[in-house]
């Protein structure tokens, strides 16, 4: 295996991966059973991961699975995967989980501490696919015991990225990016040396409203926003993709994962979602990763790393696709991307505030209490209010990150009636 070349201060790639003995061949790897834990097992990423596990049940043993409140589905998965432990975040769903596991030896537990316990159990590989900042503590718990963390969740890096990467590096954890754009960048970076990287480019599908006018975007419905043109994903990330906040969160995620400065991070809109990410080197070479828009490809890359595994994903047929298009993102119709850039440039507490406000705004939009244009408006107003209150320092501990997150949620809730009225 060639060593990963990117070694920024608190980036995990170099330190953790070089500690491991490279596996000689994919055959050798097939002989090694791997214990895995799935945080967010009942979701879209969880399902794609399980689809791959099902295809190779001999190689993998499932240690723990988690969900928020879908106790029946979680129990079903735990039974099927023969997991040792199932944890549900919502204590009200515990009875449902417990009864679903009746007659098995699978342990069940509920509440936030149970999610952390699931992450702490001895699985070599942990899929971090809980939505939102709620993922921070369990994902950090997995990283802090030196597990290989396949990181789908981006909000934990936006909420407390420096802290997360520092702790993961100290524990010798490997953090493998599942997000398709970051997984693409990770793969493309192996084509050169860190000091020769000029910039990276994340592609964005542009979401369902890429070609819509500003006026039309103001009036979009929840149903329209939930119809992503190229990807099938959970509701939060689908709405984030429609506002382009998802790309903004991904810029902050890339900053932490790869240790790149804001001016080394670019976004280009690419409607076909075939080119997932590009790295430009100083000689002008641009290395890209391409593939069908199917999350099983980056998940498989993280599962088999540093080997490769077969997936059922549709093979890329460029001749059939015919045309790949690229365009600049429009900051006027999609102000969320600019807000994320502002938070990244400001640093300190701003990304934590941005993420919390966005989670509130998306939940309010999904609850039909806030219009689509109100999402970015509420995030902007919350960023302004937090600055006015002097909430600026970067969180130095998980407790500080959670305190800033909670404060920002309260600010957003206070601002909501005014913004909702303005944006309706
Ligand atoms: P889903 O909404 O489909 O699934 C989320 C999972 O997390 C479910 O198991 C859900 O349980 C659980 N969960 C949600 N909220 C909480 C909470 N507060 N506490 C504990 N568990 C919780 O999301 P996705 O799978 O689409 O996305 C997961 C993460 O991966 C997100 O951060 C997203 O941005 C990222 N991602 C997703 C991609 C995709 O293609 N889906 C692509 C790239 C990144 P329950 O079922 O009980 O609600």
């Amino acid at each position: 295996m060639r060593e990963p070349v990117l070694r920024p201060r608190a980036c995990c790639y170099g330190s953790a991966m070089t500690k491991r003995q490279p596996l000689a061949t994919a055959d050798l790897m097939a002989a090694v059973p791997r214990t895995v834990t799935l945080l967010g097992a009942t979701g879209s990423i969880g399902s794609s991961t399980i689809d791959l596990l099902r295809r190779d049940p001999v190689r993998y043993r499932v240690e723990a699975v988690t969900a928020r409140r879908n106790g029946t589905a979680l129990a079903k998965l735990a039974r099927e995967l023969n997991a040792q432990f199932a944890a549900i975040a919502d204590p009200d769903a515990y009875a449902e989980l417990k009864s679903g596991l009746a007659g098995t030896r699978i342990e069940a537990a509920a509440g936030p501490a149970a999610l952390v316990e699931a992450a702490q159990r001895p699985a070599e590989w942990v899929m971090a696919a809980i939505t939102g900042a709620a993922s921070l503590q369990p994902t950090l718990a997995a990283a802090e015991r030196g597990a290989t963390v396949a990181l789908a969740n981006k909000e934990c890096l936006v909420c407390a990225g420096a802290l997360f990467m520092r702790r993961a590096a100290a524990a010798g954890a490997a953090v493998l990016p599942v997000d398709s754009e970051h997984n693409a960048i990770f793969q493309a970076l192996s084509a050169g040396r860190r000091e020769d990287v000029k910039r990276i480019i994340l592609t964005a599908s542009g979401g369902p409203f890429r070609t819509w006018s500003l006026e039309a975007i103001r009036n979009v419905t929840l149903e329209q926003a939930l119809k992503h043109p190229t990807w099938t994903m959970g509701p939060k990330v689908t709405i984030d993709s429609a506002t382009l906040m998802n790309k903004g969160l991904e810029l902050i995620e890339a900053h932490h994962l790869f240790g790149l400065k804001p001016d080394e991070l670019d976004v280009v809109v690419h409607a076909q979602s075939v080119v997932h990410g590009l790295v430009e080197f100083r000689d002008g070479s641009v290395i890209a990763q391409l593939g069908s828009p199917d999350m099983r490809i980056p998940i498989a890359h993280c599962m088999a790393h540093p080997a490769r595994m077969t997936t059922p994903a549709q093979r890329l047929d460029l001749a059939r696709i015919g045309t790949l298009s690229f365009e600049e993102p429009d900051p006027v119709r999609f102000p969320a991307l600019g807000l994320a850039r502002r938070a990244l440039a400001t640093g300190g507490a701003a990304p934590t505030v941005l993420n919390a406000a966005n989670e509130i705004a998306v939940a309010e939009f999904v609850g039909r209490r806030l219009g689509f244009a109100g999402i970015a408006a509420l995030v902007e107003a919350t960023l302004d209010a937090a600055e006015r209150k002097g909430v600026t320092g970067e969180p130095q501990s998980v407790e500080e990150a959670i305190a800033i997150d909670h404060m920002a949620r309260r600010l957003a809730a206070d601002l909501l009636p005014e913004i909702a009225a303005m944006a309706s």
Side-chain angles (χ1 to χ4, degrees), residues 149-232:
V149 177
L151 189 67
N153 172 281
K154 58 200 88 184
E155 292 94 337
C156 68
L157 286 187
V158 179
C159 175
L163 173 75
F164 183 94
M165 295 305 281
R166 236 182 1 253
R167 298 240 184 125
V175 180
L176 301 177
V178 172
D179 220 347
S180 57
E181 297 79 1
H182 304 74
N183 184 270
I185 300 295
F186 179 45
Q187 296 194 45
L189 282 169
S190 64
R193 300 182 306 172
R194 168 66 186 94
E195 54 269 40
D196 293 329
V197 172
K198 189 154 184 305
R199 62 175 180 146
I200 66 165
I201 305 158
L202 305 175
T203 58
S205 71
F209 313 126
R210 182 177 60 87
T211 57
W212 289 34
S213 70
L214 186 59
E215 199 44 45
I217 289 175
R218 281 190 199 286
N219 300 313
V220 303
T221 64
L222 175 61
E223 289 68 26
Q224 289 167 327
L226 284 172
K227 275 204 192 106
H228 196 278
T230 46
W231 295 98
T232 307

Side-chain angles (χ1 to χ4, degrees), residues 374-387:
I375 298 175
L378 184 59
V379 173
E380 183 171 19
T382 310
L383 279 171
D384 291 343
E387 267 179 29

Side-chain angles (χ1 to χ4, degrees), residues 4 31 143 146 183 200 213 241 291 328 338 351 368 386 395 404:
N183 184 270
I200 66 165
S213 70
S241 298
E328 289 286 336
R368 301 179 196 274
I404 296 169

Side-chain angles (χ1 to χ4, degrees), residues 38-48 66-71 73-74 87-90 115 127-135 138 151-156 178-181 231-238 240 246 249-250 253 294-295 299 359:
L38 308 176
L39 305 175
T42 51
S44 166
I45 292 285
S47 303
S48 295
T66 79
R68 174 177 40 181
R69 60 171 74 103
N70 203 340
L74 185 65
I88 193 103
D90 183 350
L115 297 189
M127 167 54 76
I130 291 172
T131 303
S135 175
L151 189 67
N153 172 281
K154 58 200 88 184
E155 292 94 337
C156 68
V178 172
D179 220 347
S180 57
E181 297 79 1
W231 295 98
T232 307
M233 309 181 286
K236 159 73 167 50
V237 62
T238 304
D240 285 345
N246 183 49
L249 300 178
E250 287 180 5
E253 180 185 12
D294 184 330
M295 284 308 294
I299 294 170
E359 287 194 30

